[in-house]
Amino acid sequence: MILMKDIIREGHPTLRQRAEEVKFPLSTEDKKTAKELMEYVVNSQNDEMIEKYDLRPGVGIAAPQVNIPKRIFAIHFDEHSGEDLSIIAINPKIVSHSVEKSYLASGEGCLSVDRSVPGYVPRHARITVKAFDIEGTEYKMRLKGLPAIAFQHELDHLNGVMFFDHINPDNPFAEIDNAVAVARETEE
C-alpha cells in the first residue's frame, strides 16, 4: 500500500525525467504498481482511510511520483464528486484536443508538492485520449472538465513537467484567453 512517505517530493530528479514506455504483457511488478496507484487514489478519498493512514486526498497519481519512472497513472473520482471516471492509464496519449482552454478556478495541487502554488494552470478544455488498461487492452475516450484537467496533470508527470511550470510567473492569475474556469472539490 502506498503511503505519503512513499510519494517523492518536488526537487527529486525522477519528477523531472521523461518516464519510459511500458512493455506488454505487463510484468507482475508493473501490474502491482498500477493497482497500488489506483488503491492510493481510492483510499485517499475515504475519510476513514485518510485518518487511519494520514493520507492526502487526491484524484490522480502517477508512477514517477512513487519513484517509478514508467508511463502509468491512475485517476479516480468517487461517487460524491459528480464525475464518473476511474481509470488506470498505461502509455497514455492525447490524440486530439480543443482549442478552448480550461483551468481550475482554485488552482491545482499535487501530492508531490507540499506548498501552495497559487495561479491558473491552462489546460485543454476537451481532450480525446488513448491508453492501455492493466490487461493490455487499448481504450479511447473523450474527457472534459475536471477529468480532462486531471488527465493532463498526470500526463505531465510522465513527461517530467510539474503543474506550476504552466503558471504565468509574472501574473499567476492572468486571464487565460479562450478559457473556462472549472470548479473542483479535491486535490490532484
Side-chain angles (χ1 to χ4, degrees):
M1 181 176 165
I2 295 170
L3 300 172
M4 286 308 297
K5 69 176 178 54
D6 303 312
I7 298 173
I8 60 175
R9 302 304 205 281
E10 179 182 8
H12 192 290
T14 300
L15 291 172
R16 288 299 189 174
Q17 74 184 63
R18 184 173 170 81
E20 300 165 16
E21 290 273 322
V22 179
K23 307 258 188 293
F24 289 95
L26 288 187
S27 66
T28 305
E29 185 180 308
D30 288 341
K31 279 187 182 181
K32 180 176 183 275
T33 297
K35 288 176 182 173
E36 286 182 345
L37 293 172
M38 180 57 77
E39 179 186 47
Y40 180 88
V41 284
V42 169
N43 287 345
S44 80
Q45 295 174 40
N46 176 311
D47 291 339
E48 204 173 285
M49 296 298 277
I50 290 170
E51 192 170 329
K52 183 174 181 180
Y53 295 106
D54 195 27
L55 304 178
R56 271 179 53 198
V59 295
I61 187 171
Q65 292 180 270
V66 290
N67 205 18
I68 298 171
K70 293 194 174 180
R71 300 186 76 77
I72 305 171
F73 64 71
I75 294 175
H76 176 77
F77 290 94
D78 74 9
E79 62 277 4
H80 306 298
S81 71
E83 302 293 345
D84 182 25
L85 185 67
S86 189
I87 59 167
I88 289 172
I90 301 169
N91 298 339
K93 291 176 175 41
I94 294 175
V95 294
S96 67
H97 60 78
S98 63
V99 173
E100 183 184 32
K101 300 282 188 188
S102 66
Y103 61 92
L104 287 180
S106 56
E108 290 185 23
C110 179
L111 295 167
S112 293
V113 178
D114 291 331
R115 62 192 173 101
S116 173
V117 184
Y120 297 146
V121 180
R123 302 286 188 187
H124 300 294
R126 292 174 305 286
I127 55 176
T128 300
V129 303
K130 278 187 180 177
F132 292 89
D133 66 17
I134 204 164
E135 302 305 325
T137 304
E138 188 176 44
Y139 62 89
K140 184 176 179 178
M141 58 178 36
R142 290 188 174 143
L143 301 172
K144 64 181 182 178
L146 199 49
I149 289 171
F151 193 98
Q152 290 169 85
H153 178 110
E154 299 311 326
L155 186 60
D156 273 354
H157 277 302
L158 305 186
N159 294 322
V161 176
M162 300 295 283
F163 76 92
F164 50 75
D165 296 343
H166 299 290
I167 297 173
N168 179 335
D170 301 322
N171 185 355
F173 293 101
E175 195 171 311
I176 300 166
D177 289 339
N178 195 22
V180 59
V182 175
R184 67 149 181 192
E185 293 185 23
T186 54
E187 193 172 315
E188 312 300 312

